[in-house]
Amino acid sequence: MSSRMRCGDHTIMTNGLVCVRERLAHVVDALFPSTYGPAMQDGSSALPSPPPLPEKDLMKVAIIHDWLTLKGGAEICLEEFLRLYPQADLFCVVDFLPEHERDFLQGHRITTSFVQRLPGAAKRYRSYLPLMPIAIEQLDVTGYDLVLSSSASVAKGVITGPDQIHVAYTHSPVRYAWDLQHQYLNEAGLVRGVKSWLARIVLHYIRSWDSRTANGVDQFIANSQFIARRIQKVYGRKATVIYPPVDIDRFTVADRREDFYVTISRMVPYKRIPLIVDAFARMPDRRLVVIGDGPEMAAVRAVAGPNVTILGKQPDTVVVDHLQRAKAFVFAAEEDFGIAPVEAQACGTPVIAYGKGGALETIRGYDGSDQTGVFFGNQSVEAIVAAVEHLDRRLSAISSDACRANAERFSTSRFRREIVNFIDTAMIAGPGHAGDNVALSQDLRCDPATMPVTARE
């Protein structure tokens, strides 16, 4: 056979393959039109256009929260999300919130996971941590335009589609699985033994899952620069900082100050209330008032001296009254943000705080103009005693007006405005912009007219 004939056969074969490929493309288009789109002349397929943005009032919104068991700082953020998006449906792993604390939910429909129905979940829901990743993934949020997660644990792991916008307001990546793992294991008495190894295996699994599910978030919001750094470290993602809302209007600056210090907190290990009380036991000439309750109460009572008054849990009026009259507020926790120090400053009260975490952003604790408190460098009795003495020397340079002005940076109206502007910008940008975080416009940030009516009320 001649070389020309062989070349002709090759041409016929090539043309035949092209024909077959085109026929297959038409079959694929007929079977999967929404997936592949129409075939182009070059054999490629056109990607479908994203759906048009819905009108804001018609936008379907799903809000995902870790769990509802008490009203804390995360729930204060949730309350504002529900006000901003009154049409939203709420999803969470469990809902055991007491009836007297449910007013802020405003009648929103709540969907919970299967963990809600497991034995003993009402009191021991945290023991079901190994099941929470799969539990949050079973919450069906298909059909929603915007998915807004409020996450300090698993909420950001909810599954979303390519045409949905997922904005994750992150109070923290899972604290006990990442950089605070060893602290939590120590506090839980899980340092060694079989239970310790089981806990470490579970936390390893949680870390892997937590890292993977960051890919499903279009935009991250952090509640502080401290948490933005943790998000960058853990997920390799940038986050825009929007500080949590603090109801500054609840507080006013009082005319008088009395000679006592106050600390107000849930008595859980990381708040370090026994440490504060022990420090004041070493300063018998200084009076401390402790407000709050929790599992550390016995430890607090064990180290309290006669100069320490323990009031337990108190109504809001008592809390505000003590914040207004106190010489200073004492805060020993490493917090992601920390609302209590801001509330103290809203009363014009200076703060003595552990100089790590969110406190570095909410308190002006170094000597200088507009100072609002002092920091101590480590969580020890000696450091707290030295900080109290240092505050005494600086007290004449710290004004109530400076404290109040600093607190007003964290107002509720500011939070609403920044959240709405951020999400509006994210919706316009559309899905698929993970890793390219939205920046807040400074002009929009200062313009209340850009907020919906519900946010301006």
Side-chain angles (χ1 to χ4, degrees), residues 65-70 75 78 90-97 102 105 110-118 120-126 128 132 135-136 139 154:
H65 197 63
D66 289 320
W67 43 69
L68 289 169
T69 56
L70 55 82
E75 287 68 39
L78 175 62
L90 178 57
F91 297 78
C92 57
V93 174
V94 295
D95 174 16
F96 297 114
L97 195 67
R102 301 185 70 85
L105 296 175
I110 302 174
T111 301
T112 58
S113 75
F114 65 83
V115 176
Q116 179 84 17
R117 299 179 293 278
L118 294 179
K123 292 184 178 179
R124 300 189 303 276
Y125 68 94
R126 290 181 186 272
Y128 288 113
M132 288 186 183
I136 205 75
L139 296 177
V154 297

Side-chain angles (χ1 to χ4, degrees), residues 343-359:
E343 293 178 336
Q345 291 172 91
C347 295
T349 303
V351 180
I352 301 168
Y354 178 41
K356 195 170 181 182

Side-chain angles (χ1 to χ4, degrees), residues 242-359:
I242 299 180
Y243 292 114
V246 182
D247 187 5
I248 302 298
D249 295 337
R250 282 174 54 213
F251 308 96
T252 57
V253 177
D255 295 330
R256 73 188 193 282
R257 294 283 162 192
E258 298 180 20
D259 193 20
F260 71 90
Y261 301 79
V262 66
T263 187
I264 302 169
S265 175
R266 287 182 295 119
M267 293 188 187
V268 292
Y270 85 95
K271 298 287 188 178
R272 301 298 179 94
I273 304 302
L275 177 68
I276 296 173
V277 173
D278 193 13
F280 275 83
R282 312 284 181 91
M283 299 181 284
D285 57 327
R286 303 179 193 270
R287 191 159 70 91
L288 174 70
V289 175
V290 181
I291 298 177
D293 201 356
E296 291 277 275
M297 177 62 87
V300 168
R301 293 190 186 280
V303 295
N307 61 323
V308 176
T309 302
I310 301 171
L311 298 182
K313 189 174 181 179
Q314 295 293 317
D316 190 62
T317 53
V318 175
V319 170
V320 173
D321 176 61
H322 279 79
L323 284 176
Q324 288 174 325
R325 293 188 292 115
K327 185 176 184 178
F329 178 78
V330 188
F331 188 73
E334 179 184 337
E335 285 279 17
D336 308 324
F337 174 73
I339 288 178
V342 179
E343 293 178 336
Q345 291 172 91
C347 295
T349 303
V351 180
I352 301 168
Y354 178 41
K356 195 170 181 182

